[in-house]
Amino acid sequence: MTFSQIRKAGLLATAIAALMASPALAKVTVLGWPGGPEETALRAAADAYNAKADVAENDKVELLFFNRDGFWDKLQADLAAGSTAFDVNLLATYSIGRYAPFMEPVELSGEAESVYGEAVLKTMQFEGKQYGVPTDLSLHFMYYRKDLIDALLSDDAAKARYGEISEKLLGKKLEPKDPDAWDWDDYAATALYFTQSVNPDSPTRYGTVLQIKNLLFNIMVWQSLPRAYGGDWMDAEGKVTVNSDAYRKGLETYKLLYDNGATPRDSLSYEFPEANAAYASGQVAAMPQWNAAASDLTSTEKSPAVAEVTETVAPPSGPEGRFTHIHGLGFGLNKNAANKEGGMKFLQWLSSKEAALTYARNNGAPALTPEVVKEVSEERPDLVQLGEFAGKYGYVMTGGTSAKALSVYELQAKEFTGYWSGQQSLDDALANTEKGMAELLK
């Protein structure tokens, strides 16, 4: 290659590098949660933002998604390494302290407090600073088939059969109740009654759907059961307390349902989408599930077999009360963002009333103030319940916001799935969990 060619090649390379660094190409990259209603809502919000006349081309949003498995560990590794692959990234209440050192505090829109309320904004705060916009509040509903429950409650022969099944499999004779009055034994008895392998006359093949894949989020769905019996991660002195009667009750209840065919046999591979698909088939009577499923399961277009007969209540109660796990998802600013200014503009818009209503109307689950939620209450009645249940029944396990919280959930998922699948005993599962948690939370 001649000097002239080398010089031309060098100039070309310089021009390309300059072009790539040009603000015209420096769009705002947003890392979101893949799959489910969170992705649907984020895509709609991004489209609405990009369509705004006052959003410059270099401030338009592009979306990026990792796999769900290992998401949080990859995010931490990328943030710690100073990645510029994304400007704005997903945050969760249970991991904010883990990522705060690698993120910028943000200033939200002037509407933010009137849209979300102070308590909800705090789900995205750490050490007094705001680190994100709280786009989704997550807790659990009990979804159930009202038509099936009404038929059961009005049929004396069916009620007698229900009592026989509960006495045989739960050790006590129960009577069917309205789901809003269920304790966890009532839920289990109802699930068994509506299971054809237990009751050949059941109109559904399965009484429930359990999400028991080795996945940390599935433990969040399950743990409201032991919580209702007094279960917690630690006591006031910091001692791990999972090896308890409450945890035994919770683990044994799921095991009983799985072993008796009340949930599909492949539930060991189920998480959010698989559970929704099973329920939407019309072959399931009731299911504990994230609130985010409500818009799909009550949609005549998306779930025609069950939409018009599905209702929701808070999870069942126990001797210590009625509880639902709660946490917030949101978006914050990467400290090493390539387009930090554009990222901040997007976050300010995302915390506005316009954005919150767009998010809500497209399957998102923002926790909105009563004044704002009124505007979507007819199309999204689940958002009204969301705020109500969070205030009455929401909880966070002791230690549930620590830097190692996700590792604790992962440990529990591994050990408890091992028990549910028959790979280890209940005693071993609890002992291994207690030992591992003591190391993680010391």
Side-chain angles (χ1 to χ4, degrees):
M1 183 179 286
T2 66
F3 175 77
S4 177
Q5 290 173 318
I6 292 173
R7 183 171 180 273
K8 287 179 180 177
L11 289 173
L12 180 61
T14 301
I16 291 173
L19 184 62
M20 294 299 290
S22 167
L25 293 180
K27 293 190 176 183
V28 178
T29 302
V30 177
L31 175 64
W33 183 241
E38 295 90 352
E39 179 176 341
T40 301
L42 179 60
R43 288 189 181 279
D47 288 345
Y49 181 72
N50 290 342
K52 290 174 66 66
D54 58 347
V55 175
E57 190 64 30
N58 61 308
D59 287 336
K60 291 185 183 295
V61 167
E62 293 181 337
L63 302 181
L64 173 67
F65 298 96
F66 295 164
N67 289 328
R68 290 167 74 99
D69 289 344
F71 180 98
W72 299 106
D73 287 337
K74 176 169 172 49
L75 175 58
Q76 182 182 30
D78 285 358
L79 286 170
S83 175
T84 58
F86 47 85
D87 304 297
V88 172
N89 59 272
L90 191 73
L91 279 178
T93 301
Y94 47 69
S95 62
I96 254 181
R98 186 177 179 186
Y99 304 132
F102 315 114
M103 302 189 69
E104 291 278 5
V106 297
E107 183 177 345
L108 305 184
S109 75
E111 296 179 318
E113 187 165 341
S114 63
V115 170
Y116 295 103
E118 184 179 356
V120 175
L121 290 179
K122 284 183 178 178
T123 66
M124 291 286 115
Q125 292 175 5
F126 181 70
E127 294 184 344
K129 297 179 180 178
Q130 192 77 37
Y131 278 90
V133 181
T135 53
D136 291 272
L137 190 68
S138 294
L139 47 71
H140 302 125
F141 291 166
M142 179 62 74
Y143 296 79
Y144 71 94
R145 290 275 302 275
K146 187 177 187 300
D147 57 332
L148 300 181
I149 299 299
D150 286 350
L152 169 60
L153 292 173
S154 63
D155 187 331
D156 289 340
K159 289 191 281 188
R161 180 70 178 131
Y162 181 101
E164 293 169 2
I165 290 170
S166 63
E167 187 170 29
K168 177 181 177 181
L169 295 176
L170 295 174
K172 52 185 175 181
K173 192 171 186 177
L174 299 174
E175 294 184 358
K177 298 176 184 174
D178 181 280
D180 205 26
W182 281 353
D183 63 20
W184 283 100
D185 282 340
D186 294 316
Y187 157 70
T190 304
L192 292 164
Y193 172 82
F194 283 110
T195 298
Q196 286 179 356
S197 61
V198 175
N199 175 17
D201 296 327
S202 171
T204 54
R205 185 174 179 182
Y206 304 107
T208 193
V209 187
L210 303 180
Q211 300 172 56
I212 46 180
K213 178 181 178 179
N214 181 1
L215 183 70
L216 65 94
F217 302 104
N218 289 345
I219 297 301
M220 295 176 184
V221 178
W222 164 81
Q223 72 176 4
S224 295
L225 199 172
R227 180 70 170 186
Y229 287 79
D232 202 348
W233 284 8
M234 299 187 293
D235 61 19
E237 287 71 46
K239 180 183 177 182
V240 174
T241 57
V242 296
N243 198 345
S244 65
D245 290 342
Y247 270 78
R248 286 179 180 273
K249 172 66 176 180
L251 289 165
E252 287 175 337
T253 298
Y254 263 41
K255 179 72 167 169
L256 175 72
L257 295 175
Y258 180 72
D259 287 350
N260 282 280
T263 187
R265 202 64 192 167
D266 56 349
S267 295
L268 288 163
S269 65
Y270 279 18
E271 53 176 307
F272 183 85
E274 291 83 5
N276 283 353
Y279 182 89
S281 72
Q283 288 299 310
V284 175
M287 173 181 70
Q289 176 63 296
W290 296 98
N291 61 287
S295 57
D296 281 355
L297 297 182
T298 58
S299 165
T300 54
E301 180 181 345
K302 295 181 179 180
S303 304
V306 299
E308 294 183 347
V309 292
T310 292
E311 295 200 357
T312 55
V313 293
S317 63
E320 299 301 318
R322 195 173 189 178
F323 297 94
T324 175
H325 166 94
I326 185 172
H327 69 251
L329 293 178
F331 290 92
L333 187 65
N334 179 3
K335 184 177 286 186
N336 290 290
N339 189 351
K340 193 174 290 186
E341 183 178 351
M344 186 68 80
K345 289 178 182 176
F346 175 66
L347 290 171
Q348 288 185 334
W349 176 80
L350 196 61
S351 63
S352 70
K353 179 180 177 180
E354 176 191 6
L357 292 176
T358 298
Y359 204 86
R361 289 180 173 125
N362 287 277
N363 285 7
L368 306 174
T369 58
E371 293 75 22
V372 176
V373 81
K374 285 178 183 177
E375 298 193 29
V376 290
S377 60
E378 284 194 18
E379 55 201 288
R380 292 296 307 276
D382 58 301
L383 295 186
V384 178
Q385 282 187 319
L386 181 70
E388 178 189 350
F389 293 173
K392 288 183 177 179
Y393 312 121
Y395 73 89
V396 176
M397 289 293 197
T398 304
T401 59
S402 68
K404 296 292 186 179
L406 289 179
S407 297
V408 169
Y409 280 117
E410 289 170 345
L411 169 68
Q412 291 184 359
K414 173 178 176 290
E415 298 297 338
F416 297 163
T417 299
Y419 166 63
W420 290 322
S421 63
Q423 295 177 8
Q424 66 177 339
S425 68
L426 177 58
D427 287 342
D428 285 346
L430 287 170
N432 293 341
T433 302
E434 182 179 45
K435 180 180 178 181
M437 286 180 63
E439 287 295 317
L440 290 168
L441 297 174
K442 66 182 178 181

